[in-house]
DNA sequence: GTGGTCTAGACCACC
DNA sequence: GTGGTCTAGACCACT
């Protein structure tokens, strides 16, 4: 029982998106590493007390992005970083540029943001890249 | 022919959101400066070939965020930076942290991102004040 | 037959505002408590004999203020007090000061108003917790 | 040149409402006392650099409420408090109760509000009631 | 001519 | 069945 997800039933976003984003963050922060097995659809569904269809939808979306891959009869596993689609990379980058530009407009300092970037990967790399 | 927005009808995001985001970016990049007048609701609607109500919704949302202010009978105008609500600032920052973490995981270099940040405000200020 | 709202079609204020204000008052007076479900958009619309879009607009505005939160596919629910934005608090206070000053000018007694204030929360709490 | 009004051209409210509210506040705070003459329509219009029709509309609304009275050929004058319509009194009181209830719900203290009420009339009464 | 409101009716995603 | 989106078209108030 490695992965812990918290659902916010008062969040406007659909549940399947909350699930997929939560798992994505666990992967990104290396709490789930390549080849780790995700909990089964029914198992996770009962843990979170929601419909299995919702979990399945989340897994399907993550698979389309390249974050995980399913093997029939065995389960769903974290994929290596290299499998993540270029499409997602590009989308993320343009989103990042939009958000960063807005933050700067709103008065965030250039160095302030840079420091935040530098402080971030420490945690991720710990358990990530050897 | 001041503001150019491109809509993608195949995009999953609602049209009104694409419109508001596009305008927000124009403001953030100083292509639209405080007190500038936005195109009229009907005018922009016919330019983009969508319903005026959709534009009105976008304007209303931007107004709630503090990016613009509408005056019945006169038009919709860009507001000064200071009017933008604290709520939006906070939401943006957490979004930025999520996206940045994911980009780093996907192989983006810390210095690469920092350089992008540094290069950004230059462009914004250039396009603005000349 | 939980929530009762009365609309005045001769009132100068727009319908969606009458609806949102009415619901806000029900929340403030604890007739609707956190996590309570508001009537569905179509349901309330047919009860009040107005268009569902108008109700949706009211719900959306209340959501922006933090009074309620909507979940697609489930419904609209009362949010906890803490979710209400600081912006609204500030606006209310300045409005309260204007109105109070005018009432005092019109002959309302200081102690008379104070007594009203003191008498108020009692009613709210009584109707709430029993 | 007694009365000073500041218009906010970025305010969403129509100009005539800003004018009438501004004048009402001046009366309420005894900056304008009964029988004082308001500036002429054209005079105030040129002072504020707006259309005379807008001023005329504001004066007309204030007259309907009983705050002022116009004498053809002479001008517009502040009326005694007694002339202010019962209708407005009632409207104000119900508005005050709504706003007060909401402030209490949002955490304002009973005594905090009472103190504000007590601190208020000091300024008003100075030049007001003998 | 401007934004704001309201109606009527349709379609979609979510659960 | 829920809320969300979008369209089409009408009317109003403000400047």
């Amino acid at each position: 029982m490695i992965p812990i997800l918290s659902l916010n039933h008062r969040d406007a976003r659909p549940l399947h998106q909350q699930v997929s984003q939560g798992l994505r963050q666990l992967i990104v922060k290396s709490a789930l590493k390549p080849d780790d097995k995700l909990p089964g659809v029914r198992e996770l569904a009962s843990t979170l007390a929601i419909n299995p269809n919702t979990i399945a939808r989340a897994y399907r979306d993550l698979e389309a992005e390249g974050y995980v891959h399913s093997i029939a009869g065995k389960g769903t596993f974290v994929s290596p970083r290299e499998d993540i689609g270029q499409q997602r990379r590009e989308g993320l980058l343009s989103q990042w540029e939009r958000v960063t530009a807005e933050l700067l407009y709103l008065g965030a300092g250039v160095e302030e943001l840079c420091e935040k970037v530098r402080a971030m990967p420490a945690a991720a790399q710990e358990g990530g890249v050897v």
Side-chain angles (χ1 to χ4, degrees), chain A residues 3-6 16-32 37-39 44 48 54-55 58-60 62 65 67-68 76 78:
Chain A
I4 300 185
L5 280 184
S6 64
H16 72 82
Q17 249 179 60
Q18 294 188 47
V19 174
S20 61
Q21 172 176 310
L23 293 172
R24 218 186 286 111
Q25 288 295 308
L26 287 174
I27 295 173
V28 159
K29 294 181 178 163
S30 298
L32 287 171
K37 183 180 179 302
L38 298 184
L44 185 52
L48 298 177
T54 307
I55 306 291
Y59 281 14
R60 187 155 43 83
L62 286 173
E65 292 171 359
Y67 273 92
V68 305
T76 302
V78 177

Side-chain angles (χ1 to χ4, degrees), chain A residues 8-121:
Chain A
N8 181 2
H9 283 270
R10 295 184 356 225
D11 195 320
R13 291 172 318 179
L15 288 177
H16 72 82
Q17 249 179 60
Q18 294 188 47
V19 174
S20 61
Q21 172 176 310
L23 293 172
R24 218 186 286 111
Q25 288 295 308
L26 287 174
I27 295 173
V28 159
K29 294 181 178 163
S30 298
L32 287 171
K33 286 173 270 187
D35 285 328
D36 276 0
K37 183 180 179 302
L38 298 184
V41 167
R42 282 184 295 275
E43 178 190 351
L44 185 52
S46 78
T47 302
L48 298 177
I50 62 178
N51 193 306
N53 288 329
T54 307
I55 306 291
R57 167 74 186 270
Y59 281 14
R60 187 155 43 83
D61 290 350
L62 286 173
E63 189 164 13
E65 292 171 359
Y67 273 92
V68 305
H69 53 102
S70 294
I71 303 178
K74 293 192 60 179
T76 302
F77 302 85
V78 177
S79 300
R81 307 176 189 211
E82 295 77 34
D83 285 15
I84 296 167
Q86 193 60 21
Q87 210 176 359
R88 174 135 188 109
R89 285 185 155 83
E90 289 165 1
L92 268 182
L93 195 57
S94 77
Q95 188 186 354
W96 183 82
E97 285 171 348
R98 271 193 288 106
V99 174
T100 305
E102 195 169 343
L103 277 174
L104 290 172
Y105 179 77
L106 293 182
V110 172
E111 281 313 313
E112 176 189 350
L113 293 182
C114 280
E115 279 180 34
K116 277 180 190 291
V117 177
R118 287 197 201 95
M120 234 177 244

